[in-house]
């Protein structure tokens, strides 16, 4: 897991001159969080037939690694997904599916489903929801977050997340700050209380970033 935080640095490599909104086709992302369990990931999403903020088909690839304090070993995996995004006034809803491969004491193949919601239900508010379920190493993860605009595109507010896999579950409740831009990267910071399935309490912290690029 020592190498995982370095994935965040990859985002900086893609930072370049800003592109017009209608030209943005690809977003590169990376993140790392640690609590009772730790996880890092990096990947990209690409709009196949239009800009990122419009309705259309999208493709995604993501690689990650992690583990919990209860694990005897670590796990790593990669998934490639395709799906469709629906862009409505103030709402973006994306559904994706595809194969995944996990290494957890052996190599296993399966399928992954992912759903994402990004919305501005009211002026100066932000609502996000992500749900992921995979069968290679049976697991599920979900996070919902709400925010209020502090300035520009920076929002802050509460978040709730939960993860589950055979023999392990974890729930997190905390706060996030989303939309800070530094070095051409848009950052998200979060932290709060974490409770493992064994009833142990603790703290968690997370950092992620993304860069949006235009078409070639």
């Amino acid at each position: 897991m020592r190498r995982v935080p370095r994935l965040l640095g990859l985002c900086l490599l893609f930072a370049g001159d800003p592109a017009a909104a209608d030209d943005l086709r690809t977003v590169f992302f990376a993140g790392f969080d640690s609590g009772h369990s730790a996880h890092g990931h990096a990947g990209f999403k690409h709009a196949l037939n239009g800009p990122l903020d419009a309705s259309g088909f999208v493709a995604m690839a993501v690689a990650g690694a992690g583990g919990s304090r209860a694990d005897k070993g670590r796990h790593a995996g990669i998934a490639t997904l395709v799906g469709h995004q629906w862009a409505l006034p103030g709402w973006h809803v994306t559904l994706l599916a595809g194969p995944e491969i996990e290494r957890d004491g052996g190599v296993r193949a399966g399928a992954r489903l992912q759903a994402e919601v990004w919305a501005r239900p009211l002026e100066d508010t932000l609502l996000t929801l992500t749900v992921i379920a995979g069968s290679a190493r049976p697991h599920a993860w979900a996070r919902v977050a709400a925010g209020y605009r502090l300035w520009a595109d920076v929002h802050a507010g509460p978040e709730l997340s939960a993860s589950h896999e055979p023999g392990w579950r974890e729930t997190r409740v905390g706060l996030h700050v989303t939309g800070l831009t530094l070095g051409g990267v848009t950052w998200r910071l979060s932290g709060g209380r974490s409770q493992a399935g064994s009833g142990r309490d603790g703290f968690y912290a997370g950092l992620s970033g993304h860069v949006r690029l235009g078409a070639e």
Side-chain angles (χ1 to χ4, degrees):
M1 295 297 294
R2 295 177 181 177
R3 299 180 180 179
V4 175
R6 299 177 187 175
L7 297 176
L8 289 170
L10 294 176
C11 288
L12 296 173
L13 298 177
F14 296 108
D17 296 331
D22 290 344
D23 294 331
L24 296 174
R25 299 285 298 274
T26 306
V27 57
F28 291 87
F29 54 85
F32 177 78
D33 65 78
S34 180
H36 286 294
S37 62
H39 184 265
H41 68 274
F44 71 90
K45 181 193 290 184
H46 179 70
L48 298 176
N49 56 351
L52 280 169
D53 292 331
S55 295
F57 291 96
V58 295
M60 176 187 291
V62 59
S68 70
R69 296 178 183 177
D71 284 343
K72 295 181 179 179
R74 302 168 182 170
H75 60 78
I78 186 170
T80 56
L81 312 172
V82 294
H84 194 276
Q85 174 178 267
W86 292 266
L88 304 170
W91 291 78
H92 287 78
V93 179
T94 307
L95 297 177
L96 305 113
E100 67 173 9
I101 298 176
E102 292 277 347
R103 183 175 182 179
D104 180 15
V107 178
R108 308 173 186 177
R112 179 178 296 190
L113 299 175
Q114 183 163 332
E116 301 175 346
V117 176
W118 181 96
R120 295 188 183 274
L122 298 172
E123 186 177 1
D124 294 332
T125 65
L126 177 66
L127 175 66
T128 63
L129 170 66
T130 304
V131 179
I132 300 173
S135 64
R137 174 182 53 85
H139 64 282
W141 177 86
R143 181 180 67 202
V144 60
Y148 185 80
R149 188 172 70 90
L150 301 180
W151 71 87
D153 290 326
V154 179
H155 294 74
E159 68 173 16
L160 170 65
S161 66
S163 60
H164 177 80
E165 60 187 78
W168 177 258
R169 67 181 184 274
E170 183 178 358
T171 302
R172 298 176 174 183
V173 180
L175 300 173
H176 73 94
V177 177
T178 299
L180 294 167
T181 301
L182 179 65
V185 181
T186 301
W187 299 96
R188 184 184 196 277
L189 299 89
S190 62
R193 296 287 293 178
S194 173
Q195 184 177 64
S198 61
R200 294 178 301 166
D201 288 327
F203 295 93
Y204 77 92
L207 175 65
S208 62
H210 72 266
V211 177
R212 292 157 59 102
L213 297 181
E216 295 290 340

